[in-house]
Amino acid sequence: MTDQPHLQAMSAEELAVACANELYRRDRATQHLGIELLRSSPGQSTVAMTVADFMLQGHQTCHGGYLFTLADSAFAFACNTYNEPTVAIGCAIDYVAPGRGGDVLTATAVERNRSGRTGNYDVEIHNQDGHLIALFHGKSYRVRGQILEPKTHIQATNTQENNND
């Protein structure tokens, strides 16, 4: 998992939160779109986004690219909760219902399988009324390195705790 002794003392939950928060801190695209990291735990994450006017396409519903980005962000945070950098090697999305302007969309990612260097994750996007908007499946691939540097874990663990207040 990690060769950093101070990280070995962290619980799996603490490590997951620290990794997700550190990635969120670095993720300019996710932040630019107003996507918030709400929760993370080993192999899971939840993010949320309000559909802004600039996200609406010609039918006045949320452009599918923004729905994909929301789901992809949830997927990224979920598969990077083990301090092992992981990237997507395949993703697919099914749009079930339209998102509307002003909707608050929540994407929840859940790990289905993780073995060797690959993993499979499912993401559901729901609106504020609990209606299913989209289903996403992502396949991950673990690359070399670690997410947390020796001093980043202290700063990273504070971000999500502040978001949960």
Side-chain angles (χ1 to χ4, degrees):
M1 176 169 64
T2 180
D3 60 4
Q4 300 173 36
H6 61 283
L7 296 178
Q8 290 175 351
M10 297 174 84
S11 71
E13 285 287 326
E14 291 169 330
L15 184 64
V17 169
C19 289
N21 285 334
E22 176 59 17
L23 284 179
Y24 183 81
R25 184 186 70 77
R26 299 181 207 166
D27 190 338
R28 292 183 188 150
T30 295
Q31 291 177 33
H32 178 74
L33 292 175
I35 297 172
E36 297 178 68
L37 175 60
L38 302 179
R39 276 183 256 12
S40 56
S41 60
Q44 299 183 30
S45 76
T46 302
V47 298
M49 171 184 83
T50 300
V51 179
D53 286 344
F54 73 87
M55 298 174 178
L56 302 178
Q57 41 83 324
H59 296 294
Q60 296 304 295
T61 59
C62 186
H63 190 286
Y66 291 110
L67 296 174
F68 187 96
T69 301
L70 178 65
D72 188 48
S73 290
F75 164 53
F77 295 126
C79 66
N80 279 284
T81 55
Y82 303 101
N83 200 30
E84 299 171 338
T86 305
V87 297
I89 57 172
C91 301
I93 192 165
D94 291 321
Y95 303 108
V96 177
R100 308 269 181 207
D103 277 355
V104 177
L105 303 179
T106 303
T108 301
V110 177
E111 181 180 274
R112 297 300 181 198
N113 165 270
R114 183 172 160 259
S115 177
R117 294 177 79 88
T118 62
N120 287 279
Y121 295 77
D122 289 327
V123 181
E124 291 187 2
I125 299 176
H126 291 87
N127 69 10
Q128 67 279 356
D129 298 321
H131 296 122
L132 182 64
I133 302 299
L135 298 168
F136 173 102
H137 179 79
K139 186 167 185 174
S140 67
Y141 181 79
R142 184 172 41 88
V143 296
R144 292 187 179 133
Q146 294 182 339
I147 294 166
L148 299 176
E149 299 298 325
K151 304 225 177 202
T152 59
H153 79 284
I154 296 169
Q155 176 186 2
T157 55
N158 292 329
T159 306
Q160 205 171 130
E161 291 169 1
N162 293 339
N163 287 344
N164 291 331
D165 289 344

